[in-house]
Amino acid sequence: MLRLTNTLTGKQEAFVPADAETVRIYTCGPTVYNFVHIGNLRTYIFEDILRRHLASKWKITHVMNITDIDDKIINRSVETGKDLKSYTAPYTAAFFEDCEKLRIQKPEIITAATDYIPEMVDLVSRLLESGHAYREGDSIYFRISRFPNYGRLSRLDKRELKIGARVDADEYEKEEPRDFVLWKAPKDPHEPRWQAAFGEGRPGWHLECSAMAMKYLGETLDIHCGGVDNIFPHHENEIAQSEAATGRPFVRFWIHGEHLLVDGEKMAKSKGNFFTLRDLIDKGYDPLAIRYLLVSVRYRKQLNFTFDGLREATAALDRIKEFVFRLKGVKLQPGSNAKVAAAIAQAREQFEAALDDDLNTSAALAALFVLIGHGNVALSEGAVQEDDRAEILKWLQVVDERLAIIPPMEDLVQDQNEVAEIESLVERRNEARRNRDFAMADKIKKELIDRGVLIEDTREGTRWRRK
Ligand SMILES: [Zn+2]
């Protein structure tokens, strides 16, 4: 049974989709004014793991928005003299390129905010009619005093609410809980605007997620995710405007990924510890190692990103690759070994249990490496048989469907040719030794070492492995 920590209750709860069939999930997407950084990518990777694990149990409809209008985007597009779409389009494309490199699956439905203005206008009209929204100047605000549950998600004390005070900014601090803007009248002639019965303007940031989530997923979603920094004000405001309009709970499970730190500190351009995926690829790191590092710590824990950690992730990937390479290349007897089969069954069970336990990815990876350890010993002892190999390879595919961290199999296919070459060299060396041509045997051994292959002569014959 899958258990997830629900930010709304602060507790781990058993999760099943409301209709027991399809998970309706919404995740907040990027604000496309720049390249996303690895802290953002950690959130998208956690959501990807959640998505993959949910999809192993149920059908899934996943909606993600692209914020292509907000304060920052408007300022940048005005500065660069570009219209909104031509300013944001390259960053939207770059985001999906980054996701692809990190093996993050695409949601079923992707919605750019500026394509859903009529839905947002409709939501504002409903809130005006019900008295949850009001006009001040030419803008429309949400009246938090009319929504008694305001602050429940972010555990805000009612006494802290600044009743009657307003905030126009898209982002603001928890210390400033005020009536937030739903629809902003243009202040500058360059600002983009849309017509509405309640006056021309543009949506405040929070409005888009409520309007687009409810359009595709209904009034009550199963799951809504984001990073912890989205809890206030963004998700708090989404709840207020959605529930005020529908009178129903907006989301059953709120799930939030923790921060990423770099060398123990918050990432900031001024500190020189700010990285995009592109920065790390330019430094020569493999996106798969970056994904591995981001997956290796459970989403609810802060993750400290370091270059040592990235090197360890690379070594862990090499260990997986090495094992698959060895497993695929070795000649085996038909049948199955009871001890090996039991180790596979145990790994499988522990892996599922770890992911069901609030996406404990570090325990899931531990189950994988315990099996690799057993597998390597069993290979050295000649205990692995053909059916065991097939079972292990089948399970590694499951691991890859869930975590997407198994190095690409194409490389391993090429390696299979290499295995044949190495085995023929080992055989030629054995022949030379049988003929007591030790000079030739040493020459071949040196050739193998140069290729990164270590050999070991045992009673059962010559074994080899890669350095
Ligand atoms: Zn959102």
Side-chain angles (χ1 to χ4, degrees), residues 28 209 234 238:
C28 290
C209 289
H234 187 49
E238 281 188 41

Side-chain angles (χ1 to χ4, degrees), residues 292 315-317 319-320 364-374 395 405:
Y292 184 95
L317 290 180
R319 241 188 113 200
I320 299 171
L365 286 171
L368 169 65
F369 281 98
V370 167
L371 181 74
I372 290 177
H374 282 316
W395 183 60
I405 46 90

Side-chain angles (χ1 to χ4, degrees), residues 215-246:
K215 179 180 175 80
Y216 289 106
L217 301 173
E219 290 178 348
T220 303
L221 329 182
D222 286 311
I223 298 178
H224 192 316
C225 302
V228 284
D229 47 351
N230 283 151
I231 297 174
F232 189 89
H234 187 49
H235 290 164
E236 197 70 76
N237 292 353
E238 281 188 41
I239 293 174
Q241 66 207 3
S242 306
E243 296 190 356
T246 68

Side-chain angles (χ1 to χ4, degrees), residues 26-29 65 67 205-206 208-210 212 224-225 230 234-235 238 254:
Y26 186 91
T27 56
C28 290
N65 66 307
T67 298
W205 170 36
H206 319 293
E208 64 182 73
C209 289
S210 291
M212 298 186 296
H224 192 316
C225 302
N230 283 151
H234 187 49
H235 290 164
E238 281 188 41
W254 283 96

